[in-house]
Amino acid sequence: MTQQAPDCITIHTATRRTWALPGSLSLLAVASLGLYLAYRMTDRAYHWHQRDALVYFDASRHLPGSESVLYGHPYGVSKLPFTYPPFTALVFRLLGTAGWDTFRLLLPVLTFLALITALRSSLRASAIARAWPRHRRVALCLAIAAACLWLTPIFIAFQAGQINLFLLALILWDFSLHTESRWKGLGVGLAAGLKITPAIFIIYLLLTGRYRAALTALGTAGGTVLIGALVLPQASLHYWSSIGGLSGEATGHGRINLAATHNQSLNGLVLRTLGDTPTAHAIWLAAACLTAVAGLACAAAVQRHGHELWGAVLCGTTAVLISPLSWAHHWVWIVPALALMVTSALQMAQGKRALTLLGGLALLLWAWYAAWPVALPEHPPKLSPAGIIALPPASDAGLLEHLWEFVHQNAFVVTGLFALSAAAAWSVINRLHGDRAVTQVESAMSGSSISP
């Protein structure tokens, strides 16, 4: 009996250590979620206005009978047109069958589940997190989700009732599957069927040699087009014959200002800097083409070295950069990026330098994207959770102040371009010096050594 006591103590100590981190993360998640809900309930009319969701609901509620006026007609209190494919309108018609009150309550729940799914897929796709026990992954997933709720893209996604987290969940689920899975490409194809922008991932699959997945994605996206054409033939003809005109409908009549700071794309950056001129448009087009080629090349290079999730993040970042219109809530790729940085920091916890560096970068990235309260001209004197991109412009200030103004007005674009540049530099170093140079850097960060 006396010989077994130390063993029991050892077992209990190991158990406490095993559950210490998951328990702490779970408590932080619950506290953050409670504080988040309490804050949003202080002004439900503003924090849960769901104006974009109302556009989706109004546009689809009379389908298929009203398909002739699906496009080009203003919907909701914001009087915006519906600019998604006909298949997406059918999905919203199905979700809105029970009426607006049910739809507006159901959408935030589904959005949160999409966030959890995206993070769960991120951890599954991460080679680091796959080796962890299940309870640790669950706790970490909940903790990161609770932290992400305070980010500007995610905050607005819940506030306006946006669908970008659903697209993110579909794409990350797809990339968490094994390469030989028969379902590989299905998530990308569905995302591209709901919104055209994710179609860039089909090109990415081709560049990374996953031809069967690319064909699956292309076939799935084509299937959504076919369903839309069969059920809504008039609307489909109008949409697919005038895709470029739809953006004109959305931006016409002063409804949307592409130069607004919430347009965090290369196009928005150019318009804010040079104004709406033919020269500015030509510069944006050239920059977008260059960024598309460089971004896809970097994403493919990173993926070929075994970093599947980073490749997907870089491809998604490229998509929002080159799109002519990328609102702040389109930058949902911050979610898997944060998950990757946190898991990498925890993996290198043995090395203080690595933990400090990666943990500090993750915290800095979170702070950069956080929905900090800002006084907006349209909501005086109320402070709105709009983040640093909504900070007021400098007036009668010096060079440094104007430089800071340029940076904070294009905050997400700057970080996106920095990420692509860092990936490009990593790829060049890796090509010139091989994997050993990268391994030496990682070893130096963790405080270990490599034998000569």
Side-chain angles (χ1 to χ4, degrees):
M1 293 294 292
T2 56
Q3 294 179 349
Q4 295 178 355
D7 294 334
C8 294
I9 295 174
T10 302
I11 293 173
H12 287 304
T13 302
T15 302
R16 284 197 300 269
R17 289 177 179 175
T18 301
W19 285 93
L21 179 61
S24 301
L25 291 174
S26 300
L27 287 176
L28 286 174
V30 171
S32 178
L33 181 60
L35 183 62
Y36 173 83
L37 291 174
Y39 173 71
R40 300 208 77 149
M41 293 300 288
T42 57
D43 190 351
R44 286 181 292 177
Y46 177 71
H47 291 312
W48 301 97
H49 59 68
Q50 294 186 304
R51 292 172 185 169
D52 290 344
L54 185 56
V55 171
Y56 309 149
F57 178 82
D58 280 354
S60 61
R61 62 176 175 170
H62 296 305
L63 293 176
S66 63
E67 66 165 310
S68 60
V69 295
L70 178 60
Y71 298 107
H73 185 76
Y75 296 103
V77 295
S78 52
K79 300 300 179 184
L80 292 173
F82 185 79
T83 58
Y84 292 90
F87 176 76
T88 312
L90 293 175
V91 173
F92 284 124
R93 179 68 184 92
L94 182 64
L95 291 175
T97 303
W100 168 244
D101 289 337
T102 302
F103 182 78
R104 69 180 304 179
L105 290 175
L106 180 64
L107 192 59
V109 176
L110 294 178
T111 303
F112 184 74
L113 291 177
L115 175 62
I116 294 295
T117 301
L119 282 169
R120 181 175 179 272
S121 299
S122 298
L123 296 180
R124 284 182 59 193
S126 170
I128 296 173
R130 278 200 303 269
W132 293 352
R134 179 184 176 87
H135 66 276
R136 189 176 186 182
R137 293 199 306 269
V138 170
L140 184 61
C141 179
L142 293 174
I144 299 176
C148 286
L149 290 173
W150 297 97
L151 300 175
T152 301
I154 312 306
F155 200 98
I156 299 177
F158 280 92
Q159 182 184 44
Q162 266 286 333
I163 70 168
N164 295 285
L165 280 172
F166 295 99
L167 305 179
L168 180 73
L170 284 170
I171 294 170
L172 291 180
W173 168 78
D174 200 322
F175 283 104
S176 71
L177 297 175
H178 191 273
T179 304
E180 300 302 322
S181 173
R182 69 178 66 180
W183 305 110
K184 192 78 171 179
L186 181 65
V188 168
L190 282 174
L194 291 169
K195 188 176 181 179
I196 297 176
T197 310
I200 192 174
F201 282 93
I202 300 178
I203 303 174
Y204 171 66
L205 287 172
L206 289 172
L207 290 175
T208 52
R210 290 171 284 188
Y211 304 114
R212 188 176 70 176
L215 288 176
T216 301
L218 190 60
T220 304
T224 65
V225 174
L226 182 61
I227 292 173
L230 291 175
V231 181
L232 304 172
Q234 295 181 38
S236 295
L237 180 62
H238 176 80
Y239 182 86
W240 296 111
S241 62
S242 58
I243 296 178
L246 290 176
S247 60
E249 292 174 5
T251 57
H253 309 295
R255 293 192 186 112
I256 296 177
N257 177 16
L258 289 179
T261 56
H262 274 276
N263 181 14
Q264 289 292 303
S265 67
L266 287 171
N267 188 36
L269 182 150
V270 172
L271 289 173
R272 285 187 290 273
T273 305
L274 302 178
D276 190 2
T277 64
T279 302
H281 180 74
I283 291 174
W284 164 71
L285 193 59
C289 291
L290 179 62
T291 303
V293 173
L296 285 170
C298 289
V302 168
Q303 189 277 336
R304 281 193 291 268
H305 282 86
H307 302 285
E308 177 72 276
L309 193 55
W310 272 124
V313 169
L314 291 171
C315 184
T317 300
T318 301
V320 289
L321 281 173
I322 66 176
S323 174
L325 178 61
S326 293
W327 293 135
H329 52 258
H330 293 171
W331 283 83
V332 292
W333 290 97
I334 180 63
V335 171
L338 271 178
L340 274 169
M341 296 183 73
V342 170
T343 53
S344 299
L346 292 176
Q347 176 68 13
M348 295 184 180
Q350 297 295 331
K352 293 182 179 180
R353 282 174 291 183
L355 181 61
T356 301
L357 177 60
L358 290 174
L361 285 176
L363 184 59
L364 180 62
L365 192 62
W366 181 90
W368 191 249
Y369 278 81
W372 300 108
V374 178
L376 300 179
E378 59 267 30
H379 299 293
K382 183 187 299 182
L383 291 176
S384 302
I388 64 171
I389 60 174
L391 289 174
S395 58
D396 298 328
L399 178 61
L400 290 179
E401 287 79 3
H402 284 295
L403 179 61
W404 165 240
E405 177 186 338
F406 175 84
V407 171
H408 77 68
Q409 286 188 349
N410 304 286
F412 299 172
V413 184
V414 170
T415 51
L417 291 174
F418 178 81
L420 294 185
S421 300
W426 181 89
S427 300
V428 170
I429 294 173
N430 207 38
R431 180 178 292 272
L432 292 177
H433 302 286
D435 293 333
R436 183 175 177 81
V438 179
T439 306
Q440 286 176 338
V441 173
E442 293 177 349
S443 177
M445 289 172 60
S446 59
S448 61
S449 60
I450 301 178
S451 58

